[in-house]
Structures are given as C-alpha cells and as structure tokens.
Amino acid sequence: MSSNCTHDCSSCKSDCASRDKKTSFIKPLHEGATVRKVIAVASGKGGVGKSLVTSLLAARANKLGYRTAILDADITGPSIPKSFGVSERATGEENAIFPVETKEGIQLMSMNCLLEHDEDPVVWRGALIAGAATQFWTDVVWDDVDIMFIDMPPGTGDVPLSVFQSIPISGIVVVTTPQDLVEMIVKKAVNMASMMNVPVLGLVENMSYFECPECKKKHEIFGESKVEGLAKKFGVPAFAKMPIDPNLSRLADSGNIVNADTEPLSSVFKSIEGAKLLEEL
C-alpha cells in the first residue's frame, strides 16, 4: 500500500492487496442470543402483504417444530404483534432487550412492543429507523432460535439496505401481487438480493385469486397470475399463490393468525428446507 493512500480505491491505479479486501458490515448478536438461520420477507413496494406472509411462514415453521422468531423491521408500520394477539411490552436490562413470546412460543420483536400505545406514530428520519431495525438484531436476547423471519419494510431504501448489510440473511422470499407492474417490482427486489449476494428462495403472489365459497370457481380479480412465469424468468426455485381469503383478515384482526391455513405456502417453505438451510437444526 502506498504511503499516500487515501483509502479511496476509485481514485487510485495502484494494484495493492487492500483493493481486494471486502469489508463486512455484519453486526454481532447479543452475547446471550442464538439465531441459526435468517429469512427475509421482502418486496419492491408496499401493500402486497409481506407481514401476512411473514406471519404465515413463522406459523408454519413453529408447527413443524422449529424454534421460531420474527424480527419486525417495518419500524413505522409494525403489525406483527397484533396478528399474533400479543399486547404486552418487551422488557429489558441496561444492555439487553428481551423479546415477547406468543402463546405458541414464537419470539417477537417489533416497535409496537416498545411503544406506550399501539397507535403512537414513529416520526423518525431514515437513519434512526434503520438503526432501530439493526438494534433488534444486536440488542435483543433471542433465545435459541432455529429460524428467524424478518418482516422487511417496503422498497429498497435505507432500512432494507441496513438490514441486508447488518444481518447474516440466508435467503429471501419476495412477495408480489398479480398487477401488470409486478414484473418491475419483482425485478427490483431480485436485483437488490443479487447485489447483496443473498439467494431468492421463492416468490409469493398474494391476492392471486378469490375462490367462490359456493361454486368453488377461482376468479382472478386483479388479473391473470404471473408468478409462475416470473419464477421461471428469474430462476427462482419456488413460487406460491395466496388467495384473497376473508378468513385470513379475521384471524389477523383477532390475533389468531397462527391458526390460519399455511398450506398455500408449502412449496416456498420446502424451498427453504431444500436449500439445506435447516438440515443441521
């Protein structure tokens, strides 16, 4: 390395060893915490149902016997605790925060577990929001977790970038809907995952269809499904179609999402297992 090195490789023509070094921004867990695998649930836009898919994947993992946790990184729009019927606040010590647990044993950390009232808004700038999401990883004493699901905020901005850089994510599940602009949205999420060297394990098309309770005919209310073609185009190993189901809304609103039918996500969860992410657990 030159004695005049400015550490700005873009302005330097020297072929030194430091040019090839890759800096890791991964943050360590709290010394008392254990998390073996992390799956992020993401999308290129909001309003597609990431929190619902996160909740259902966690419910399925829990039912299969994995010690499961959810990190709710959607700091300004947290909804995970309500879906699981959790109203208590997280507790802590000087250097540690303890997650809350559902009655089924799923560990949760969400901004709503820290606010005095669920309706209190989080009116923060981006850096503070990103820092809070990262602290849910570094400062929480996660107890012997096999698989953690992260409910990502929408888009590809500060918070998703901080989460991808700070937490050792093993793979992501991308959530989308059937509208015509879906290909652009999926491509944004897939490209971000590629930039972060994280594999996309599955695509979930939410609100894919509505099944008439009387005639059982499936109606594609928001347009023809595109998820199968997109999975093939982007080389994603699995896809799933989630129906428009009023029962899901009722279960989430009543705090009983854990009782929902998770079978529509079976192919995506098999992809998570098939990627050998959980074989040693």
Side-chain angles (χ1 to χ4, degrees):
M1 182 186 298
S2 168
S3 60
N4 296 320
C5 180
T6 64
H7 302 286
D8 180 8
C9 294
S10 64
S11 65
C12 177
K13 296 181 180 180
S14 297
D15 186 19
C16 61
S18 63
R19 179 182 291 275
D20 297 325
K21 290 182 179 178
K22 293 184 178 180
T23 302
S24 174
F25 296 99
I26 296 296
K27 303 290 186 182
L29 280 168
H30 188 279
E31 61 182 6
T34 302
V35 178
R36 296 178 180 85
K37 298 297 177 182
V38 182
I39 305 297
V41 181
S43 178
K45 67 181 295 294
V48 298
K50 291 183 300 298
S51 296
L52 173 64
V53 172
T54 301
S55 299
L56 294 176
L57 285 171
R60 189 172 186 88
N62 180 256
K63 290 174 183 176
L64 291 173
Y66 297 109
R67 289 183 60 85
T68 308
I70 300 177
L71 190 161
D72 188 355
D74 194 352
I75 302 299
T76 60
S79 59
I80 294 294
K82 180 175 175 59
S83 295
F84 285 92
V86 171
S87 58
E88 62 263 33
R89 298 297 177 255
T91 59
E93 299 174 349
E94 183 178 356
N95 298 310
I97 303 171
F98 299 99
V100 299
E101 281 195 21
T102 70
K103 56 182 178 294
E104 296 80 19
I106 299 173
Q107 299 173 48
L108 306 179
M109 180 49 63
S110 170
M111 184 54 72
N112 266 12
C113 297
L114 301 175
L115 298 174
E116 185 176 354
H117 305 105
D118 289 348
E119 299 82 8
D120 290 344
V122 179
V123 188
W124 294 352
R125 294 192 183 276
L128 287 175
I129 296 172
T134 302
Q135 282 185 282
F136 286 173
W137 172 257
T138 60
D139 294 4
V140 175
V141 185
W142 299 103
D143 183 15
D144 194 28
V145 174
D146 290 328
I147 179 169
M148 170 186 285
F149 294 95
I150 300 183
D151 183 13
M152 298 283 282
T156 55
D158 283 352
V159 182
L161 180 60
S162 293
V163 171
F164 272 114
Q165 290 183 325
S166 302
I167 299 176
I169 296 173
S170 300
I172 75 168
V173 173
V174 176
V175 184
T176 185
T177 52
Q179 287 92 336
D180 287 337
L181 54 73
V182 68
E183 183 171 343
M184 177 185 70
I185 301 306
V186 170
K187 193 169 184 178
K188 285 179 182 290
V190 171
N191 284 345
M192 185 172 189
S194 178
M195 290 170 62
M196 298 293 110
N197 295 314
V198 178
V200 178
L201 302 174
L203 297 181
V204 177
E205 185 177 76
N206 194 26
M207 298 177 276
S208 184
Y209 61 89
F210 172 74
E211 182 175 305
C212 175
E214 296 182 0
C215 69
K216 303 301 180 183
K217 183 178 179 180
K218 293 181 179 180
H219 303 272
E220 295 178 320
I221 294 175
F222 293 111
E224 184 179 354
S225 174
K226 300 171 179 64
V227 66
E228 185 173 359
L230 289 173
K232 184 176 181 180
K233 179 174 181 176
F234 294 117
V236 177
F239 66 90
K241 298 179 182 181
M242 289 288 299
I244 299 171
D245 185 354
N247 187 50
L248 287 176
S249 297
R250 286 192 290 269
L251 289 171
D253 289 345
S254 64
N256 292 301
I257 195 65
V258 73
N259 295 323
D261 179 15
T262 62
E263 188 59 28
L265 293 173
S266 60
S267 60
V268 171
F269 200 87
K270 286 178 181 177
S271 177
I272 294 172
E273 294 181 307
K276 300 181 179 179
L277 297 180
L278 305 177
E279 64 179 6
E280 71 271 28
L281 300 182

